[in-house]
Amino acid sequence: MPETTLAPGTANAASVAQRVLRHGRYETMLMLRNGEQLVLAVVLPLLALVALTFVDLLDGVAPSRIDAAAPGVLALCVMSTAFTGQGIATGFDRRYGVLTFLSTTPLGRVGLIFGKALAVLAVLVVQIVVVGGTAVAMGWRPNLVGAAIAVGLLLAGAAAFTSLGLLIAGTVRPEATLAITNLAWILLAAAGGIVIPGSHLPAFLGNIVQVLPSAALGDAMRAALIDGTLATGAVVVLLAWAAVAGTAATRWFKWT
C-alpha cells in the first residue's frame, strides 16, 4: 500500500497536503519552543558571525570580514537546523516512542519527512531575519543579484541536510544519533568548508571537502552573495547529496 493511501477506517482523515501542513506547523512550534534548538539554530551562528569579524581567517575572501563571514554563517544556519536539529529531535522521537505513535496515523513516512522539511524552512526564515539582520547591522552589504540566487541555494541546502539528518535519525540507534549529528556539526563547521572556504584550509583537506554538502553550500553562498554568480559545480554537488540522501531516507527510515 502506498504511503499516502488511507488505511481502512481512516476515510475521514485530512488530505495529504493538510496532514503535511499541520505536521509542519506542529514541528515548527516544537523547535521554536525548545531552548537547546534555539541555541543551536541562532545563538551559535551569531557567535560565529561576531567571532569571524575579529580574526583573520577569512581575510582575502571578500572586501570586508563581515562580507566574507555572513554567507558562510547563513549556510551554517541551514546545517544547524536541518541536519543537527532535526536529527536530534527525530532521534529523541524514536527513543520515546513518538514515531511509533505517528506510525499508527495516516501521516505516513512521506508526510512525516515533508512535514519536518516545512518546519526546517519556517525556522530558517527566523534565522535569516535574526542572523542576516545582525550582519547587515554590522555592515554587511550582500550582492543584490546574488541574494536571489542565495534563496534557491538555501532551499537546496535545507533539502540536502534535512534528508541527511532524517537518514541518520531514522536508521541508527537514537543514542548514536545525538553523538553522530553533534560531532558532524563540529567537524563540518570547523573544517568542512561551510564557514571557512576550502582554499583557506590545508591543501589535502581543501580537496576533500569539495565533495561535501557543507563546502558546496558554503562556496555557492559566497559566490552568490559576494560576486553575484552561480557556482554551478557546487550546486551540482549539493543537489546530488539532496537526491541521494532524500531517496535513502524515504526508503530506509524506521519508525521504531
Side-chain angles (χ1 to χ4, degrees):
M1 178 183 294
E3 293 291 339
T4 55
T5 301
L6 298 181
T10 59
N12 292 328
S15 67
V16 174
Q18 288 177 320
R19 296 199 298 269
V20 169
L21 287 173
R22 289 173 183 175
H23 190 70
R25 183 172 59 187
Y26 167 76
E27 292 275 353
T28 301
M29 297 310 297
L30 279 183
M31 294 176 72
L32 293 177
R33 290 172 178 171
N34 187 311
E36 294 180 8
Q37 293 271 20
L38 289 178
V39 168
L40 185 66
V42 176
V43 177
L44 292 182
L46 280 176
L47 291 176
L49 181 70
V50 174
L52 287 170
T53 61
F54 286 97
V55 298
D56 60 1
L57 285 175
L58 299 180
D59 284 1
V61 174
S64 69
R65 288 178 178 176
I66 188 64
D67 285 344
V73 172
L74 288 176
L76 182 65
C77 288
V78 174
M79 189 173 73
S80 298
T81 299
F83 177 68
T84 309
Q86 272 300 340
I88 292 173
T90 306
F92 277 111
D93 283 349
R94 285 185 69 200
R95 181 177 183 178
Y96 294 115
V98 176
L99 292 185
T100 302
F101 170 75
L102 289 175
S103 69
T104 65
T105 73
L107 181 64
R109 182 182 296 136
V110 174
L112 175 73
I113 292 175
F114 276 90
K116 286 182 174 294
L118 283 180
V120 168
L121 294 179
V123 175
L124 184 57
V125 170
V126 176
Q127 290 176 295
I128 291 173
V129 171
V130 175
V131 178
T134 302
V136 170
M138 294 173 65
W140 180 40
R141 297 295 179 266
N143 185 295
L144 295 181
V145 174
I149 299 174
V151 173
L153 294 173
L154 291 174
L155 293 176
F161 281 109
T162 300
S163 298
L164 285 168
L166 293 180
L167 177 61
I168 294 172
T171 55
V172 305
R173 291 188 303 111
E175 293 80 4
T177 298
L178 182 65
I180 293 173
T181 53
N182 272 325
L183 180 61
W185 187 91
I186 294 171
L187 293 176
L188 293 178
I194 193 166
V195 175
I196 303 173
S199 58
H200 280 49
L201 296 172
F204 77 96
L205 191 57
N207 293 329
I208 294 174
V209 302
Q210 297 306 312
V211 298
L212 298 178
S214 52
L217 181 57
D219 288 343
M221 288 289 288
R222 281 184 284 276
L225 294 171
I226 295 174
D227 303 321
T229 59
L230 178 64
T232 307
V235 172
V236 170
V237 172
L238 191 61
L239 293 178
W241 275 98
V244 172
T247 301
T250 304
R251 172 68 179 81
W252 289 306
F253 189 90
K254 299 176 184 175
W255 294 95
T256 59

